[in-house]
Amino acid sequence: MTPLWPHIAILGFVTAQRLVELPLARGNTRRLLAAGGHEAGAGHYPFIVAVHAAWLAALWMLAPGRPINLVLLGLFALVEVARVWVLQSLGPRWTTRIIVVPGETLVARGPYKFVRHPNYMVVCAEIALLPLLFGLWQVALIFTALNAAVLSVRIRVENEALLQSRNRPS
């Protein structure tokens, strides 16, 4: 029988990470709004929350006791390093919502020097890799598709809000 502690450690880490990030995101959101920012695309935000919560719940229900692919676990660890890089690069501008502060320039450091939406790339990798490292390819497929659906809306809304912000007089 496969011991459960590695599964609990991995899933506990990801769950704790998300729970620690939520107050950080809320605080950053409050500061950005106080600085004159506005939220774009609030209507799709509950769907993003639902996809992420359901993904974690599915993993907690299905992953314990399953074999762990150590190569994919190593790859997942690298993705988590990229996650930290993204959060550090955005600093106080990181939030789970789309908050645009007129007159602010786009972040162009860290991974943002190389790609436009590295945070979403990290999230896509996490949503696929974590189930796969437990051999749950069906969970990876379902939640990758759901995430792609919500991100197709989110990225379009974010790009439009950023473009409008740059075209507005400050």
Side-chain angles (χ1 to χ4, degrees):
M1 183 166 172
T2 306
L4 294 181
W5 71 264
H7 304 79
I8 292 169
I10 294 165
L11 294 174
F13 167 78
V14 173
T15 302
Q17 179 186 54
R18 297 310 197 267
L19 292 175
V20 165
E21 289 173 354
L22 286 176
L24 174 65
R26 275 190 224 109
N28 288 345
T29 297
R30 278 194 299 273
R31 277 190 294 283
L32 291 168
L33 292 173
H38 65 277
E39 183 172 4
H44 74 271
Y45 185 73
F47 295 105
I48 291 174
V49 172
V51 167
H52 285 253
W55 171 74
L56 269 176
L59 289 169
W60 276 103
M61 288 188 308
L62 300 171
R66 296 188 57 90
I68 296 172
N69 182 313
L70 295 178
V71 172
L72 293 179
L73 179 59
L75 189 55
F76 185 78
L78 290 175
V79 169
E80 295 311 286
V81 169
R83 181 183 189 81
V84 171
W85 190 27
V86 166
L87 268 64
Q88 286 180 332
S89 298
L90 287 173
R93 292 168 75 178
W94 179 80
T95 179
T96 56
R97 297 180 177 270
I98 301 170
I99 308 296
V100 179
V101 180
E104 290 273 336
T105 59
L106 292 177
V107 171
R109 63 183 170 276
Y112 290 87
K113 282 192 279 190
F114 310 107
V115 292
R116 184 155 179 155
H117 296 290
N119 189 54
Y120 301 142
M121 293 172 67
V122 165
V123 170
C124 289
E126 288 173 324
I127 285 178
L129 278 173
L130 194 56
L132 289 174
L133 74 87
F134 295 115
L136 296 168
W137 64 268
Q138 300 94 331
V139 173
L141 186 64
I142 290 166
F143 284 97
T144 295
L146 290 171
N147 187 54
V150 294
L151 279 184
S152 69
V153 172
R154 183 174 182 91
I155 290 171
R156 187 179 71 250
V157 168
E158 185 172 322
N159 286 341
E160 187 177 297
L162 291 170
L163 182 63
Q164 287 177 1
S165 175
R166 280 186 270 156
N167 290 335
R168 273 191 208 134
S170 327

